[in-house]
């Protein structure tokens, strides 16, 4: 699997896809990438060290994803990330984090001593769709509550059962309340959740301008960040 890449546009950064322990939630109906989780911290740390060795620091920013939350990375890997950040002059980090860790984000900030952008997979601000269909297990009173903790949210677009109105509202909330965002167009995977092609088509036409918004990443494919795909056979 490709685990290192660069995102040269928008918030320019290097990105690594590391391995960590099982996602603390692990029950989202659309998620099959937790198959990359590994309960063996020593094995994860070994692999992660090899991946981190590719980081050059060329953008001064590094995003770390691990098909779970930063809190599920082995301690050894957190130390390696901190060492690499110091050695390579990285001054900004991006991590993924599930909602249930929202009161612990300062632990990560103080461990690294750097500005950190935390990305939370909210998927949609429609509570019924988020929890009944997508099974996110995330309950909050208002988008402002989410924004109090997270600088960035990930939204999922193009799932059967989702409506245009839901998506319009999600995009409006993202743009008005969050510094950054990431929109993932759903692709069929090993789960029973299905993609709505007509909805994806509609979104791509209506929201094409988001491709030029420096604050928002739009991933047409899961692998658009350059990681997660298969290495070419050589
Ligand atoms: S919180 Fe994220 S990694 Fe965990 S099951 Fe849900 S989508 Fe997958």
């Amino acid at each position: 699997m490709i685990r290192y890449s660069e995102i040269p546009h928008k918030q320019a950064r290097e990105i690594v896809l590391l391995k960590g322990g099982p996602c603390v939630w692990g029950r989202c109906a659309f998620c099959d990438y937790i198959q990359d989780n590994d309960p063996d911290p020593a094995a994860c740390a070994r692999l992660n060290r090899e991946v981190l060795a590719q980081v050059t620091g060329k953008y001064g920013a590094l995003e770390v994803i691990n098909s779970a939350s930063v809190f599920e990375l082995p301690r050894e890997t957190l130390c390696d990330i901190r060492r690499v950040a110091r050695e390579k002059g990285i001054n900004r980090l991006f991590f993924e984090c599930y909602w249930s860790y929202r009161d612990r984000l300062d632990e990560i900030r103080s461990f690294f001593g750097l500005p950190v952008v935390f990305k939370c997979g909210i998927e949609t601000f429609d509570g019924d769709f988020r929890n009944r269909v997508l099974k996110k297990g995330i309950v909050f009173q208002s988008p402002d509550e989410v924004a109090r903790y997270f600088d960035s949210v990930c939204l999922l677009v193009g799932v059967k059962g989702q409506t245009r109105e839901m998506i319009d509202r999600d995009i409006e909330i993202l743009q008005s309340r969050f510094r950054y965002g990431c929109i993932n167009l759903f692709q069929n995977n090993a789960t029973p959740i299905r993609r709505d092609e007509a909805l994806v088509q509609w979104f791509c036409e209506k929201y094409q301008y988001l491709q030029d918004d420096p604050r928002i990443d739009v991933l047409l494919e899961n692998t658009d960040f350059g990681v997660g795909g298969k290495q070419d056979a050589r």
Side-chain angles (χ1 to χ4, degrees):
M1 188 178 289
I2 300 168
R3 292 186 180 274
Y4 167 85
S5 187
E6 294 175 16
I7 303 169
H9 46 273
K10 300 197 176 184
Q11 303 294 311
R13 58 208 190 265
E14 292 174 273
I15 182 167
V16 287
L17 168 58
L18 302 185
K19 256 185 188 289
C23 167
V24 67
W25 177 244
R27 279 174 268 174
C28 296
F30 59 92
C31 174
D32 66 353
Y33 36 86
I34 50 172
Q35 291 166 7
D36 196 46
N37 296 165
D38 184 337
D40 179 348
C44 291
R46 267 196 308 277
L47 173 76
N48 294 343
R49 189 164 294 163
E50 285 173 23
V51 178
L52 287 165
Q54 298 174 71
V55 173
T56 66
K58 66 190 287 189
Y59 300 112
L62 175 66
E63 175 160 352
V64 175
I65 58 175
N66 57 298
S67 308
S69 299
V70 58
F71 289 94
E72 278 113 32
L73 287 171
R75 175 82 185 177
E76 206 178 326
T77 293
L78 294 179
C79 292
D80 282 343
I81 296 168
R82 185 169 59 182
R83 174 182 51 77
V84 167
R86 285 174 182 162
E87 287 173 1
K88 305 293 181 183
I90 286 165
N91 49 41
R92 195 154 70 125
L93 294 165
F94 296 70
F95 290 115
E96 296 177 315
C97 192
Y98 183 64
W99 175 248
S100 64
Y101 289 119
R102 64 193 179 283
D103 289 317
R104 295 183 52 191
L105 304 183
D106 280 348
E107 291 175 31
I108 297 295
R109 290 190 182 99
S110 58
F111 179 83
F112 288 99
L114 290 173
V116 176
V117 175
F118 290 100
K119 303 170 71 170
C120 186
I122 293 295
E123 320 306 349
T124 174
F125 288 94
D126 184 290
D128 180 66
F129 197 75
R130 184 177 65 250
N131 289 320
R132 186 178 53 78
V133 178
L134 301 180
K135 312 249 185 275
K136 282 299 298 191
I138 296 181
V139 177
F140 48 79
Q141 296 304 314
S142 70
D144 289 333
E145 187 180 347
V146 181
R148 275 206 295 278
Y149 296 98
F150 294 97
D151 309 300
S152 178
V153 287
C154 302
L155 298 178
L156 192 61
V157 163
V159 174
K160 273 217 188 306
Q162 208 173 17
T163 65
R164 294 180 180 192
E165 291 71 27
M166 277 183 212
I167 296 169
D168 283 339
R169 179 168 175 263
D170 287 343
I171 304 298
E172 190 279 315
I173 291 171
L174 169 57
Q175 290 182 301
S176 63
R177 304 244 197 355
F178 294 88
R179 279 173 68 201
Y180 305 108
C182 182
I183 299 171
N184 298 287
L185 298 195
F186 180 70
Q187 289 181 291
N188 290 332
N189 58 22
T191 71
I193 297 290
R194 292 295 96 184
R195 171 173 160 123
D196 182 332
E197 286 298 344
L199 199 55
V200 168
Q201 191 67 34
W202 165 83
F203 173 84
C204 289
E205 284 167 19
K206 177 164 184 177
Y207 290 103
Q208 192 179 13
Y209 70 90
L210 290 178
Q211 297 283 356
D212 300 320
D213 186 328
R215 302 181 309 133
I216 298 177
D217 293 311
V218 182
L219 303 189
L220 305 179
E221 307 269 345
N222 292 341
T223 51
D224 276 357
F225 275 156
V227 294
K230 298 273 183 277
Q231 303 267 15
D232 286 343
R234 293 187 197 278

